[in-house]
Amino acid sequence: MIAEFRKFAVKGNMVDMAAGIIIGAAFGAIVSSLVDDIIMPPIGLLLGGVDFSQLFVVLNGEGNFNTIAEARAAGAVTWNIGLFINAVIKFLIVAWAVFLLVRTMNRLFVKQQVEPAAAPEPPREVVLLEEIRDLLAKR
């Protein structure tokens, strides 16, 4: 049973999938940083200094809270609009990257299928016989 599991675990597809998951997680971290640290601060600045990561509405709870952490610590129920906006932007970036990857792969796959294999050269005897046939047909 252990040998069967080892054979399953080291199959090429499993290793490829594991590498894809690891790279995908790293890509997700890059996209999160891109959205949280690069894209949203200028947008928030343009909209009057809004920090989207702290844009929320208190649904149930008493008091004024400056951050989501303060509201959660006080037991308030919040509607975290800014975090949702950040998540949507992250999704759109990842979806766009996946679209470009799939589009490129499809184009490469189609090019491989469209290119016909070069026909092998016929043997010398066949070429000579065809020439003789053509000469006899001309008479």
Side-chain angles (χ1 to χ4, degrees):
M1 186 157 116
I2 292 174
E4 186 178 353
F5 174 74
R6 186 179 314 138
K7 183 179 175 184
F8 168 77
V10 296
K11 278 186 178 178
N13 293 343
M14 291 296 289
V15 174
D16 292 345
M17 186 176 72
I21 290 170
I22 292 167
I23 290 172
F27 183 71
I30 291 170
V31 169
S32 291
S33 178
L34 175 70
V35 171
D36 297 339
D37 303 328
I38 304 297
I39 295 175
M40 295 314 287
I43 291 175
L45 188 62
L46 289 173
L47 296 176
V50 175
D51 179 6
F52 276 88
S53 66
Q54 295 302 320
L55 184 61
F56 66 99
V57 175
V58 177
L59 297 175
N60 184 5
E62 297 289 327
N64 293 329
F65 308 106
N66 293 326
T67 65
I68 294 172
E70 288 177 5
R72 287 183 180 161
V77 177
T78 59
W79 193 30
N80 304 322
I81 300 167
L83 294 176
F84 176 74
I85 291 170
N86 284 354
V88 169
I89 292 172
K90 290 173 191 175
F91 168 78
L92 292 174
I93 291 171
V94 170
W96 181 252
V98 170
F99 165 73
L100 292 176
L101 176 68
V102 169
R103 181 175 171 226
T104 302
M105 294 302 292
N106 285 341
R107 285 185 175 179
L108 291 174
F109 185 69
V110 168
K111 284 182 182 179
Q112 288 177 352
Q113 285 183 342
V114 171
E115 295 175 9
E121 290 289 323
R124 177 81 175 131
E125 295 84 16
V126 172
V127 173
L128 290 173
L129 288 172
E130 288 175 349
E131 288 176 2
I132 293 170
R133 179 197 62 203
D134 293 342
L135 289 173
L136 291 173
K138 287 181 182 178
R139 287 188 183 184

